[in-house]
Amino acid sequence: MAKTPSGSIFVCASCGCESTRWLGRCPNCLEWNTLREEARTHSGALKNTPKGTPKDTYIQSQALSAIDARNEERIKTGYSEFDIVIGGGLVQGAAILLGGEPGIGKSTLLLQLASAFASLPGQNASSVLYVGAEESANQIAMRAARIARDEKTPDMQILSTGALEDITNAITALSPRLVIIDSIQAVYTSALHASPGSLSQVRECAWMLTEECRARAGTLIVSGHVTKDGTLAGPKILEHLVDTVLYFEGSRDRELRILRSVKNRFGGVNEIAVFTMGEKGLHEIADPGGVFIEGMPKIGSHGPGSILTAALEGNRVLLAEVQALVTPRVSGSIVRTTDGVDANRVQRVRAILESQLGMNLGDQDTFVNVTGGLEINEPAVELAIAAAIYGSARGLCPDSRLIVAGELGLLGDLRRIPQAEKRAAQARKFGMDACILPEANSGEFRRADEGKETSVLFAAPSSSPSMATRDAHVLFAANLRDALAIIFPEN
Ligand code: TYD
Ligand code: MG
């Protein structure tokens, strides 16, 4: 087994976990083959005073009551959806990390953001410093012209280099209000012997840049490529360094893009914004509630295995389609893949279907997808996964436009989900016939005779009338079996 020579260390490219010896699998994030040998450094090593040197001045503690507790002032970027995701606007001196797979649109988003910010009242030609560490100044200018949409691009400072010293020099000289570094993996300092893109370079440079911008009260945004196999020093190792972590998601071959905040020292997390990537850059979608089910085939023209759900993302409810395909095993080993939902969650739902409904899925290949590149991480998606798998395995389609949402207990019970009323309202807004929710949420809805907005029918499984005769928008089920009886009435 490899052992480190003194002064070097093995660091996981995926999560930043450190080990004194090489391991095939990271003990922290359990990824395989992600440990890389690095020179031993510490954040700030370049700036540290030698040990034992007395400091000239010491920072004094102060009374809590004497500290100004006002909220940070927020600067609106001119990109309203982006502002929602970061909690209301940019905070001076804060650092933001924008992660995403190569080609997803990070550079495009950052350049559009830079232009929007530079054209705000009160900004001048050096308010924004855009560092394109991977592209020539000419390439950046060409992209800026492409996304300007026939309008004049506001002026800003462009720097095409990866050399940290050049970048910090520019920051010192200009004191910009917004500094954009695209990408941090292409930035390096000659003070370290490690190669550009290595963990120690990425960490050290990011640390120096955040310090530099914080000292000048400018906002720093750095982009970082994420690769699933951990071949690049992942932005994960920078997450603790920055105040806000955003991820840009979606699939490259489809035009929808989702910007999601996963950490935010200055606001809520899991807020999302949805964009489409077009000929002239990214367009914000102001009301993305129904965008993921747009253009779906009409009920009846769809094969079995498709179910609509209402997913909660931050404060928003998005309608989405969950698809399942269950087929007899094709090759020697069973294939189970998922896209947009967690594989363990699907595994659990399969087990519940087998134990509670006596289905035999053991010898079947199972594929589960969320369409449009959306990822749904909340448990409320479980009822839709179950209904999609059930529909595919039994060849059944719902005969009306339904939204289903509910968390599944291991015994097939349906658990209460957050914001049920908001989901039902979104279903109604997009013209759905009904919304099926856990009975445990029913108390949050007003009865039909009390309120006019929501008509509610408590569906008893034994007397389940056909959908067409129901005058109800919201139906409740206590368990999986009852819910499936409502979703597939002819079953
Ligand atoms: P890019 O922003 O370079 O991605 P990243 O920085 O995350 O690697 O964008 C990549 C893709 O977007 C590229 O394939 C071209 C496409 N694109 C458009 O479709 N329209 C546009 O206006 C621009 C600028 C890019
Ligand atoms: Mg790029």
Side-chain angles (χ1 to χ4, degrees):
M1 190 169 296
K3 203 124 170 61
T4 46
S6 61
S8 85
I9 195 165
F10 291 92
V11 188
C12 171
S14 175
C15 70
C17 173
E18 295 181 357
S19 165
T20 50
R21 61 199 173 104
W22 188 83
L23 298 166
R25 191 180 200 189
C26 171
N28 183 42
C29 68
L30 305 182
E31 293 286 331
W32 290 96
N33 289 325
T34 52
L35 266 67
R36 309 267 182 280
E37 188 170 358
E38 294 268 328
R40 201 186 285 265
T41 54
H42 302 283
S43 274
L46 306 177
K47 265 196 163 179
N48 274 353
T49 43
K51 281 209 169 62
T53 315
K55 287 178 82 176
D56 299 338
T57 51
Y58 290 91
I59 296 174
Q60 303 291 326
S61 62
Q62 51 184 322
L64 176 62
S65 56
I67 303 172
D68 185 359
R70 271 178 310 182
N71 274 342
E72 279 85 5
E73 194 198 333
R74 300 209 170 251
I75 310 160
K76 299 259 187 268
T77 60
Y79 248 93
S80 54
E81 292 293 301
F82 179 84
D83 287 343
I84 291 175
V85 174
I86 58 173
L90 297 175
V91 175
Q92 287 187 338
I96 299 175
L97 169 68
L98 172 68
E101 288 186 25
I104 202 73
K106 296 181 297 297
S107 303
T108 310
L109 178 68
L110 291 179
L111 194 54
Q112 286 185 231
L113 196 64
S115 308
F117 189 89
S119 55
L120 291 176
Q123 311 301 337
N124 59 39
S126 49
S127 294
V128 177
L129 173 64
Y130 185 99
V131 182
E134 295 171 351
E135 293 162 312
S136 68
N138 178 260
Q139 282 172 316
I140 299 166
M142 273 165 43
R143 180 183 284 137
R146 180 175 174 184
I147 61 178
R149 304 193 186 131
D150 307 323
E151 285 167 30
K152 198 172 169 298
T153 316
D155 216 358
M156 64 181 92
Q157 293 294 312
I158 302 289
L159 185 59
S160 166
T161 180
L164 178 73
E165 290 72 17
D166 291 336
I167 302 170
T168 47
N169 262 346
I171 297 174
T172 315
L174 299 163
S175 279
R177 298 192 70 191
L178 175 63
V179 178
I180 288 178
I181 311 284
D182 182 36
S183 71
I184 189 63
Q185 280 128 336
V187 178
Y188 59 91
T189 168
S190 47
L192 287 181
H193 294 300
S195 55
S198 66
L199 285 151
S200 38
Q201 283 282 8
V202 167
R203 217 173 358 200
E204 207 58 42
C205 293
W207 189 83
M208 295 291 278
L209 288 165
T210 47
E211 287 294 298
E212 198 66 40
C213 287
R214 191 165 293 151
R216 292 187 162 63
T219 307
L220 173 72
I221 309 183
V222 300
S223 73
H225 301 298
V226 187
T227 47
K228 289 211 172 89
D229 57 2
T231 43
L232 284 167
K236 280 228 168 324
I237 58 161
L238 301 179
E239 286 188 355
H240 69 279
L241 252 181
V242 297
D243 303 296
T244 304
V245 178
L246 307 175
Y247 276 95
F248 209 28
E249 304 165 354
S251 57
R252 256 173 295 175
D253 46 340
R254 294 188 215 120
E255 61 180 21
L256 288 174
R257 300 282 184 277
I258 301 138
L259 182 70
R260 186 190 295 277
S261 86
V262 295
K263 164 183 166 174
N264 197 352
R265 216 165 264 165
F266 306 113
V269 288
N270 266 332
E271 286 302 339
I272 64 156
V274 182
F275 298 82
T276 54
M277 175 67 95
E279 275 297 300
K280 295 187 169 180
L282 293 155
H283 291 259
E284 292 186 301
I285 300 178
D287 183 4
V291 72
F292 289 95
I293 59 163
E294 246 166 42
M296 264 189 68
K298 293 221 159 26
I299 292 296
S301 61
H302 233 188
S306 159
I307 290 288
L308 299 184
T309 188
L312 190 66
E313 297 285 355
N315 278 316
R316 284 204 162 112
V317 174
L318 302 181
L319 300 190
E321 183 195 13
V322 177
Q323 291 187 341
L325 179 60
V326 180
T327 56
R329 174 167 53 150
V330 179
S331 60
S333 51
I334 293 171
V335 184
R336 285 169 191 164
T337 65
T338 65
D339 197 359
V341 279
D342 180 40
N344 289 333
R345 195 183 295 289
V346 174
Q347 195 83 324
R348 193 150 32 83
V349 171
R350 280 169 48 98
I352 296 169
L353 282 167
E354 292 196 340
S355 70
Q356 296 301 315
L357 301 174
M359 295 181 80
N360 184 5
L361 300 166
D363 209 25
Q364 314 270 316
D365 287 345
T366 316
F367 306 88
V368 177
N369 284 357
V370 179
T371 57
L374 185 66
E375 290 201 11
I376 310 181
N377 297 319
E378 58 157 354
V381 72
E382 287 168 0
L383 178 57
I385 297 173
I389 293 177
Y390 185 85
S392 176
R394 294 275 154 95
L396 297 169
C397 301
D399 61 0
S400 47
R401 279 170 57 91
L402 296 181
I403 292 291
V404 313
E407 179 181 348
L408 286 183
L410 288 181
L411 306 179
D413 46 317
L414 276 181
R415 299 250 167 106
R416 198 181 159 274
I417 57 172
Q419 309 259 21
E421 250 185 316
K422 211 166 179 175
R423 299 182 207 242
Q426 197 75 319
R428 199 167 38 241
K429 177 176 164 193
F430 285 93
M432 299 295 151
D433 298 317
C435 182
I436 297 165
L437 296 169
E439 177 116 54
N441 284 99
S442 61
E444 299 152 35
F445 288 78
R446 283 172 290 170
R447 295 293 300 266
D449 41 12
E450 291 171 19
K452 294 200 170 44
E453 281 169 36
T454 315
S455 61
V456 174
L457 179 83
F458 288 87
S462 48
S463 61
S464 170
S466 97
M467 230 18 161
T469 63
R470 282 185 199 149
D471 176 25
H473 286 117
V474 186
L475 300 154
F476 297 109
N479 54 50
L480 177 60
R481 192 182 284 275
D482 291 359
L484 292 173
I486 305 171
I487 299 167
F488 304 110
E490 81 271 31
N491 183 20

